[in-house]
Amino acid sequence: MKKQNVTIYDVAREANVSMATVSRVVNGNQNVKDATKQKVLNIIDKLDYRPNAVARGLASKKSTTVGVIIPNVTNTYFASLARGIDDIATMYKYNIILTNSDGNNQRELTSMNTLQAKQVDGIIFMGNEISEELRSEFKKSRAPVVLAGSVDASGKIPSVNIDYRQAVYSEVTNLINNGNDRIAFVSGPLERSINKDFRLKGYKDALTDAGIPYEKSLLFETDVSYSGGYALRERLQKNEVTAAIVTDDDMAAGVMNSMTDDGVSVPGEFELATSNDTKLTEMTRPTMSTITQPLYDVGAVAMRLLTKLMNNEDIEENKVFLPFGLKKRESTK
Amino acid sequence: MKKQNVTIYDVAREANVSMATVSRVVNGNQNVKDATKQKVLNIIDKLDYRPNAVARGLASKKSTTVGVIIPNVTNTYFASLARGIDDIATMYKYNIILTNSDGNNQRELTSMNTLQAKQVDGIIFMGNEISEELRSEFKKSRAPVVLAGSVDASGKIPSVNIDYRQAVYSEVTNLINNGNDRIAFVSGPLERSINKDFRLKGYKDALTDAGIPYEKSLLFETDVSYSGGYALRERLQKNEVTAAIVTDDDMAAGVMNSMTDDGVSVPGEFELATSNDTKLTEMTRPTMSTITQPLYDVGAVAMRLLTKLMNNEDIEENKVFLPFGLKKRESTK
DNA sequence: CTGTTAGCGCTTTCAC
DNA sequence: GTGAAAGCGCTAACAG
């Protein structure tokens, strides 16, 4: 015997009021006499009535859900942002539809489409690069879009980040001050704006300001993964680098382990600094010095920004930059 | 000028057919003449019509979304399952609503409620323990529930797991064969069925079968976290353990690092085996021996099972157990 | 403070 | 093969 779902109409009838009144008490509208409100509440309780969010969404044109596009939940960096997003979303009574894109442009576009089909009220995008198509999809979207921990070359999309250029600049400067002049820059694909226009820029600026010539051979592009980093050892050694700045913690762990596994002493013969401040930086031996950044907060603030956008509130600033720091651990002198 | 959304009605009018026909072509119904189908398709394209999933959900009583309750996306173990879930969900045209519970009973219940309010077609639950209230909520739910990587003491809820007892049994036996007779059992709260009824059981059974007396003082309950593990060193040493089986990789890394940081040689003086086969096991030094388990697949199979349940298909077996293995790395002899 | 009445955009019989 | 019409369960004017 399949239990028929109880609707707003059922409780209206049972309570001898109109649907409108039931709707009012359910939605906390003040214009209801206390007595009737109680009466309705009782019936709701008795019937175990639960509002159907889908019907509500159709009628109100608000789904109280936001879409989240993430490269891969399995990546601690993005997962940390996602956690911040979900917490703030929950706080504001939104749910999250999560879709993994693997940073694949086609899948990002597909996600945008299904998310919009599901009438999400807003979208948070995390990704390494924003294609032109994607950008135009963002623009067309009736749901506002906010970038979290992701850089937009055009600079027009609301976003929450840290100042990647400045962060890398500081860290490289630190490495230089430690006496290094052959510092590797290890990152994912340089075609990505975040790597090319910000991090690499910071790296170059630091070298320039220190009067150290920039060498292309010290750029190492690879998979953003542990194994991607691990595979770099020979090339690194051949180029006689004495230090490296790495843009991802998994990748950094790979680089460092490949060195220590080969008998290289860290930080004695090789210094390493990484970028994402995930808990992995404390789990490796030696522990890894890193740029610190409030991962959770980047997600949280992005979601908060999105709530404002969804409410058409005035925004002081479209692009917010959260403070970063430098944490010295064992992998640098 | 806010663009009015184009509806099925618009394309019907424009194509000189009824809404019903448009609906048919959108849904791939065969009963449409090829010519009219083409005509409709053209208009859809021209108008850039996109079906409203919410309206569709209300009319069809199917939302094509499933709810996923996860303790914390930030935990690689669960995140890996979540990834498997999402991939299979996507394959079957479902989206995922993700909610973090922190394993908190109250929040799990809240999530169940909002998920059902949103009319999800099914629910995947990951969690360390299932309270009675939760179990009854599962039973009341019109959306089928499947557990992923989570144990149900009552044994009635569909689930996908590995045989935790057997896995721990094998690993402990291995440690015994390496000559250890003071083996620590390190886990999260023992009130959790998965720890008490399965893993601890496997530990005890292995000792018994090897004729080694069971000692309560070798049980170490703590936070399931790196720091929780790290904090255990003194107690471990005081109890003169020579090996440990740990039920979580972060926790295991903590235990191991606390030992090596104190100058204890691993595996020389202390052997360690862990349980979850996350990539962390390869990132620590020494690398950690572990139970191997198909994390992604546990999620994937759970989602597949759920699709069958949602379609009222016949299920051969409610509880599926995926194969596990043992991977020897550097932390054991 | 409360009820009436239209929809929201789509699916789904039921006819033709 | 196609159309008409009745909802799905709820919100939102509007009227009183």
Side-chain angles (χ1 to χ4, degrees), chain B residues 280-333:
Chain B
L280 180 60
T281 58
E282 304 201 69
M283 295 183 180
T284 56
R285 288 298 177 271
T287 55
M288 299 187 282
S289 297
T290 185
I291 294 168
T292 59
Q293 48 178 306
L295 299 183
Y296 179 93
D297 294 348
V298 169
V301 171
M303 184 62 213
R304 180 66 185 102
L305 214 201
L306 186 60
T307 64
K308 291 183 184 167
L309 258 15
M310 293 187 295
N311 286 330
N312 295 307
E313 288 175 33
D314 284 339
I315 307 301
E316 320 80 59
E317 185 49 83
N318 245 355
K319 310 191 81 61
V320 359
F321 289 95
L322 265 24
F324 66 88
L326 254 37
K327 174 72 185 172
K328 193 212 158 307
R329 293 212 177 85
E330 297 165 355
S331 66
T332 58
K333 292 174 189 163

Side-chain angles (χ1 to χ4, degrees), chain A residues 16-248:
Chain A
N16 280 311
V17 297
S18 70
M19 297 166 52
T21 299
V22 177
S23 178
R24 286 191 188 95
V25 347
V26 166
N27 292 298
N29 187 315
Q30 294 303 309
N31 296 340
V32 185
K33 197 168 34 168
D34 242 23
T36 51
K37 180 174 167 183
Q38 266 320 316
K39 186 170 56 174
V40 171
L41 250 18
N42 286 337
I43 301 293
I44 286 180
D45 197 52
K46 173 178 158 201
L47 265 39
D48 192 26
Y49 164 71
R50 315 200 195 170
N52 178 325
V54 172
R56 196 190 285 218
L58 183 57
S60 69
K61 293 174 167 304
K62 284 194 206 105
S63 61
T64 63
T65 108
V66 310
V68 176
I69 299 177
I70 192 174
N72 193 156
V73 246
T74 265
N75 177 314
T76 311
Y77 171 73
F78 288 115
S80 302
L81 304 200
R83 188 43 145 102
I85 295 168
D86 186 39
D87 282 359
I88 304 304
T90 302
M91 182 178 304
Y92 284 89
K93 310 291 185 196
Y94 286 94
N95 284 109
I96 244 80
I97 296 186
L98 206 268
T99 65
N100 293 87
S101 71
D102 286 322
N104 177 110
N105 188 35
Q106 199 47 59
R107 295 181 56 190
E108 290 168 341
L109 288 168
T110 309
S111 290
M112 278 301 291
N113 278 317
T114 70
L115 253 20
Q116 289 178 269
K118 296 244 162 133
Q119 312 299 123
V120 296
D121 298 330
I123 293 173
I124 297 214
F125 180 87
M126 295 177 270
N128 298 302
E129 187 64 8
I130 295 165
S131 69
E132 272 314 317
E133 298 150 284
L134 199 53
R135 197 192 312 286
S136 94
E137 193 65 41
F138 288 169
K139 211 172 308 177
K140 278 193 297 190
S141 167
R142 66 162 54 232
V145 176
V146 171
L147 309 180
S150 308
V151 134
D152 162 40
S154 87
K156 296 205 180 113
I157 310 172
S159 65
V160 180
N161 284 294
I162 65 164
D163 183 339
Y164 302 107
R165 191 204 69 82
Q166 185 60 50
V168 169
Y169 179 95
S170 304
E171 207 172 36
V172 171
T173 298
N174 187 46
L175 254 15
I176 293 171
N177 290 341
N178 286 174
N180 296 286
D181 58 358
R182 294 191 65 75
I183 303 172
F185 176 83
V186 180
S187 79
L190 281 176
E191 67 218 34
R192 295 180 186 166
S193 179
I194 187 171
N195 291 326
K196 183 183 57 198
D197 301 332
F198 296 85
R199 291 171 169 152
L200 181 54
K201 183 79 161 42
Y203 170 82
K204 284 180 179 173
D205 288 354
L207 292 186
T208 303
D209 287 359
I212 298 177
Y214 163 70
E215 266 187 48
K216 256 206 157 139
S217 59
L218 297 185
L219 261 41
F220 299 83
E221 246 180 298
T222 183
D223 260 31
V224 183
S225 69
Y226 179 79
S227 52
Y230 201 94
L232 250 30
R233 200 203 75 232
E234 275 197 27
R235 285 180 53 208
L236 252 12
Q237 292 178 327
K238 194 175 308 168
N239 284 283
E240 300 180 319
V241 310
T242 60
I245 157 103
V246 187
T247 62
D248 173 88

Side-chain angles (χ1 to χ4, degrees), chain B residues 218-236:
Chain B
L218 297 185
L219 260 42
F220 298 83
E221 246 178 298
T222 183
D223 260 31
V224 184
S225 70
Y226 179 79
S227 52
Y230 201 94
L232 250 32
R233 199 203 76 231
E234 275 197 25
R235 286 179 53 207
L236 252 12

Side-chain angles (χ1 to χ4, degrees), chain B residues 88-319:
Chain B
I88 304 304
T90 302
M91 182 178 304
Y92 284 90
K93 311 291 185 195
Y94 287 94
N95 284 109
I96 245 80
I97 296 186
L98 207 269
T99 66
N100 293 87
S101 71
D102 286 322
N104 178 108
N105 187 37
Q106 199 48 57
R107 295 181 55 190
E108 290 168 342
L109 289 168
T110 309
S111 290
M112 277 300 292
N113 278 317
T114 70
L115 253 19
Q116 290 177 271
K118 296 244 163 134
Q119 312 301 119
V120 296
D121 298 329
I123 293 172
I124 297 214
F125 179 87
M126 295 176 270
N128 298 302
E129 187 65 9
I130 295 164
S131 69
E132 273 313 317
E133 297 149 283
L134 198 54
R135 197 192 311 286
S136 93
E137 193 65 41
F138 287 171
K139 210 172 308 176
K140 279 193 296 190
S141 167
R142 67 161 54 231
V145 176
V146 171
L147 309 180
S150 308
V151 133
D152 162 39
S154 86
K156 296 204 180 113
I157 310 173
S159 65
V160 179
N161 284 296
I162 64 163
D163 183 340
Y164 302 108
R165 191 203 69 84
Q166 186 61 48
V168 169
Y169 179 94
S170 305
E171 207 173 37
V172 171
T173 299
N174 187 46
L175 254 17
I176 293 171
N177 290 341
N178 285 174
N180 296 286
D181 58 358
R182 294 191 65 75
I183 303 171
F185 175 84
V186 181
S187 79
L190 281 176
E191 67 218 32
R192 294 181 187 165
S193 179
I194 188 171
N195 291 327
K196 184 183 58 199
D197 302 332
F198 296 85
R199 304 208 245 227
L200 181 53
K201 183 80 162 42
Y203 170 79
K204 284 181 179 174
D205 288 353
L207 293 185
T208 303
D209 288 359
I212 299 176
Y214 164 70
E215 266 187 49
K216 257 206 156 137
S217 58
L218 297 185
L219 260 42
F220 298 83
E221 246 178 298
T222 183
D223 260 31
V224 184
S225 70
Y226 179 79
S227 52
Y230 201 94
L232 250 32
R233 199 203 76 231
E234 275 197 25
R235 286 179 53 207
L236 252 12
Q237 292 176 328
K238 194 175 309 167
N239 284 283
E240 299 179 319
V241 310
T242 61
I245 158 105
V246 187
T247 62
D248 174 88
D249 293 350
D250 278 19
M251 196 159 61
V255 169
M256 191 173 73
N257 281 167
S258 76
M259 287 298 196
T260 56
D261 285 356
D262 194 49
V264 176
S265 126
V266 173
E269 307 170 70
F270 177 72
E271 288 185 72
L272 175 135
T274 183
S275 303
N276 288 344
D277 197 21
T278 61
K279 52 190 173 181
L280 180 60
T281 58
E282 304 201 69
M283 295 183 180
T284 56
R285 288 298 177 271
T287 55
M288 299 187 282
S289 297
T290 185
I291 294 168
T292 59
Q293 48 178 306
L295 299 183
Y296 179 93
D297 294 348
V298 169
V301 171
M303 184 62 213
R304 180 66 185 102
L305 214 201
L306 186 60
T307 64
K308 291 183 184 167
L309 258 15
M310 293 187 295
N311 286 330
N312 295 307
E313 288 175 33
D314 284 339
I315 307 301
E316 320 80 59
E317 185 49 83
N318 245 355
K319 310 191 81 61

